Amino acid sequence: MNDVLSGIERDLVISYLCDCNVPFSLIQNQNLDRIFSFVTGQGGVRILPEGIILFSDADVLPQEIIGTQVTLRFYFKKLGLSFSSLVSCTKSGALALVVPREILRIADLEENTGTGFSCNVFLGEAFSGQRLVCSLRDGYPLFMPWMWRCLPENPDSQLSGRLRGLCGATPVDTPSLIRDKLVATGKALLVTAGWVQPGMILPFDGCITSRDMVGELELLDSLAQLKSGFYFACGHQENNRNSQAQVYCIEGISSSEDLVKILPLIPVCRYLAEPQDNFPPPALLDRMQPLELLYLSSAEIIFATQKGLFPLQQEVRYSLLLQIPFNTLRRTITVDCFVSTIFEGDDGRTCALCRLENLKAEDQRFLFESLNNSRFL
């Protein structure tokens, strides 16, 4: 079938719409964030053989949409199709759309793998079976151990709920000196009985230590007001001490091992709470969605999809082929990943936290040093 359907092919599509109850998505071209869903043959929505869509109940769509161009998307025998049309109002008060002479096939999404980076997941054993190409998720840096920096400065209620439920992080009020220090440095703070650790508590320099507070007596005094726990400020604004960024606390963290288990969950919380991207639906119905990469360390990797069928299963092992830019070259890494936990959002989003296995020692060193910008000891 061609990318443009006209003539007999268009007539076949219209006949299909007349005879079947077909789900539609309607997007106002002037406001792509407004998406309306309806089903032909239900709720007063009819398709006439002449190729006219009638909404006998005008309340289905807002009145301001009359006279504007909209795009409609639907599936014809699992093939994604779309067309644009003008919303008009009939004498009876019904809303009408005319199916144009040409209907377009929905194009496959282009892959965004980033400059020089690629990640492939093989659904069969030993790098066999179907190969899924993963793309980098915009706004999720590949090597970023300080994940709280990427959170919005003032998280909404949904993100706060995710952080509380998955990470045990709760919003807290702290002395302004503490909050300003967290925001200005972008680091976190681990407090145990009113004290901070004298050295690095993390395998990377992501925590404020006693060395960072030398000469700041008022700041040290403020620690006495804090409960024991791990504190971090959302966002990062260097040299901006007037920020009102929200500070969160995770209690019960007693070691770097405890904390390293929590950190990968922060991008999961952020992803599940973000507004849904207004991407076109897949070109074929029920096709597995392309995977997005949210997080990579020397121990774990996180995959995600916006909606649709999720291709990975919990407690199943898959093969990965990674190619990572290194100076002017690309380093190729082959490794297995074991799906430890799958997280599902309310809108169909899914994330998989995977543990890397059978990673060669030299590749582990490379990933660790890339992540932490420090030597692997």
Side-chain angles (χ1 to χ4, degrees), residues 131-177:
R131 178 177 64 92
L132 302 180
V133 178
C134 307
S135 62
L136 297 178
R137 173 75 174 176
D138 289 339
Y140 288 74
L142 184 60
F143 296 113
M144 168 58 81
W146 305 2
M147 297 307 301
W148 54 86
R149 280 187 170 191
C150 298
L151 295 174
E153 188 172 307
N154 293 294
D156 58 20
S157 59
Q158 185 175 6
L159 178 53
S160 293
R162 293 286 182 187
L163 290 170
R164 183 190 298 268
L166 293 184
C167 303
T170 56
V172 294
D173 292 326
T174 61
S176 59
L177 289 174

Side-chain angles (χ1 to χ4, degrees), residues 74-82 104-107 281-285:
F74 61 99
Y75 286 97
F76 168 65
K77 298 182 179 180
K78 295 192 175 185
L79 179 68
L81 301 176
S82 73
L104 306 178
R105 290 185 61 176
I106 294 175
L284 293 177
L285 186 62

Side-chain angles (χ1 to χ4, degrees), residues 286-361:
D286 297 333
R287 171 183 285 180
M288 289 184 179
Q289 293 290 304
L291 291 173
E292 294 182 296
L293 185 59
L294 303 186
Y295 178 88
L296 174 63
S297 73
S298 57
E300 292 166 313
I301 190 169
I302 298 177
F303 299 107
T305 57
Q306 287 280 320
K307 55 187 175 181
L309 295 177
F310 191 69
L312 307 183
Q313 300 179 32
Q314 190 162 333
E315 297 186 353
V316 174
R317 187 172 287 100
Y318 300 95
S319 299
L320 300 183
L321 175 63
L322 296 168
Q323 290 187 312
I324 302 175
F326 177 66
N327 295 331
T328 59
L329 305 175
R330 287 206 302 174
R331 186 183 185 97
T332 299
I333 297 176
T334 56
V335 63
D336 293 332
C337 74
F338 180 81
V339 182
S340 302
T341 311
I342 290 181
F343 304 92
E344 296 181 350
D346 299 331
D347 56 2
R349 295 187 188 206
T350 307
C351 298
L353 176 61
C354 308
R355 184 175 66 246
L356 297 182
E357 296 182 344
N358 301 321
L359 184 63
K360 297 177 182 177

Side-chain angles (χ1 to χ4, degrees), residues 17 26 33-34 39 129 187 192 199 206 226 243 258 267 280 361 367 371:
L17 297 178
L26 183 150
D33 292 330
R34 299 195 70 180
V39 179
K187 293 185 178 182
T192 304
L226 301 180
S243 173
D258 293 336
L367 289 175
L371 176 69

